[in-house]
Amino acid sequence: MRQFFTITELTREFDISTRTLRYYEDEGMIAPLRRGRRRLYSISDRTRLKLILRGKRLGFTLAEIREIVTMYDAAPGEAGQLLHFLNKIAERRADLLQKRSDIEITLRELEEVERGCHERLGALGSADVD
Amino acid sequence: MRQFFTITELTREFDISTRTLRYYEDEGMIAPLRRGRRRLYSISDRTRLKLILRGKRLGFTLAEIREIVTMYDAAPGEAGQLLHFLNKIAERRADLLQKRSDIEITLRELEEVERGCHERLGALGSADVD
DNA sequence: ACATACTTTTACGTAAAAGTCAATTAATAT
DNA sequence: ATATTAATTGACTTTTACGTAAAAGTATGT
């Protein structure tokens, strides 16, 4: 894998706009290097971006995502901070578990609806099947 | 369980504002009865609301939620529509499966971060444990 | 040197999902 | 009867997460 990526390479790979990438930078989510004025995204920038997009898919706000992403690269050194950190983690986990349970329920409900559809289709189809 | 709920009862139960409930009504997501000008929410209104809030927690937009919620109470009668319907369901399911996988990954990552925190805490704590 | 294709910054616009405020109206308590 | 409380409508505002357009810089091929 390459060392660096241009902005358009990333926009293509992840199907987002340059505006989005620059916005994330403005918001302090990613800080690519520059060659002259051009942005150069490192592999770890790319990884951060993946994290951000995953967060988005899960419906987290950028502020929430910032918190999560920040956790990954900076575990603080002081005990009090570490405890605070662990609390944040617990919060996020609770959030994720809630989401997961919501998903399970919804999947089951969709299955039911789907079964209903198939039954109806069957009833209709029995009139003229090949 | 009671037959009807007032708007404030629902705002309290679900920790949302009256503005939100009225907004959902404007958007055609819920249609409570009226006694005079006052809204009376039925049990099924309340159920719809739960569905909406679940959708929100999962990061779906109101438009997407409307699609989902609509599926629950109206399976169409015509074959073509039923197939179209099944497609919608498949889309939603794909979305949910993606989300679920994102969640699993994130949960595991959080666990790692947490382990790291505990290790550090342990290292600090060994200086002066009770 | 020149066209072409990217890229950058700056600035303003916008859609979704509410929040907030004001003016009324209706219901209830005293 | 009146004060208080709750609910309604309507208008305006705010926040988030970008979109879009303008104007100018930079790299590349020919």
Side-chain angles (χ1 to χ4, degrees), chain A:
Chain A
M1 180 176 292
R2 226 131 13 97
Q3 278 280 324
F4 289 105
F5 307 87
T6 73
I7 196 169
T8 23
E9 280 169 348
L10 290 187
T11 63
R12 278 177 192 142
E13 179 172 2
F14 296 108
D15 195 29
I16 55 180
S17 68
T18 58
R19 179 72 179 87
T20 298
L21 273 168
R22 295 194 193 107
Y23 179 65
Y24 291 166
E25 188 173 340
D26 281 352
E27 294 294 305
M29 314 280 294
I30 307 187
L33 294 177
R34 304 295 173 115
R35 178 174 51 192
R37 333 198 311 152
R38 306 239 167 138
R39 291 164 175 84
L40 278 188
Y41 293 86
S42 71
I43 291 182
S44 100
D45 290 330
R46 184 165 163 283
T47 303
R48 278 178 86 87
L49 177 57
K50 276 203 223 179
L51 285 178
I52 295 169
L53 297 177
R54 203 167 73 202
K56 291 240 72 185
R57 284 199 299 274
L58 292 176
F60 288 112
T61 67
L62 283 187
E64 289 165 325
I65 294 171
R66 196 198 329 275
E67 262 200 7
I68 300 177
V69 170
T70 310
M71 286 181 187
Y72 285 64
D73 40 40
E78 193 239 323
Q81 300 248 353
L82 275 171
L83 290 175
H84 179 255
F85 213 65
L86 285 170
N87 268 329
K88 289 282 172 200
I89 293 176
E91 275 178 34
R92 283 295 132 238
R93 174 169 20 239
D95 210 307
L96 289 166
L97 292 178
Q98 170 73 64
K99 278 186 209 287
R100 187 168 64 178
S101 140
D102 284 336
I103 287 173
E104 301 297 345
I105 296 174
T106 309
L107 278 172
R108 268 178 243 127
E109 286 174 355
L110 279 188
E111 249 175 67
E112 271 193 51
V113 176
E114 197 177 23
R115 254 189 330 103
C117 280
H118 278 123
E119 274 174 30
R120 293 189 146 207
L121 261 184
L124 291 180
S126 64
D128 54 355
V129 187
D130 351 333

Side-chain angles (χ1 to χ4, degrees), chain A residues 54 57-58 72 75-77 85-86 93 98-100 102-106 109 114 117 120 124, chain B residues 54 57-58 72 75-77 83 85-86 93 98-100 102-106 109 114 117 120 124:
Chain A
R54 203 167 73 202
R57 284 199 299 274
L58 292 176
Y72 285 64
F85 213 65
L86 285 170
R93 174 169 20 239
Q98 170 73 64
K99 278 186 209 287
R100 187 168 64 178
D102 284 336
I103 287 173
E104 301 297 345
I105 296 174
T106 309
E109 286 174 355
E114 197 177 23
C117 280
R120 293 189 146 207
L124 291 180
Chain B
R54 203 167 74 203
R57 284 199 300 273
L58 292 176
Y72 285 64
L83 291 175
F85 213 63
L86 284 170
R93 170 162 29 231
Q98 169 74 62
K99 279 186 209 288
R100 187 169 64 178
D102 284 335
I103 286 173
E104 300 299 344
I105 295 174
T106 309
E109 286 173 355
E114 198 178 23
C117 281
R120 293 188 146 210
L124 290 180

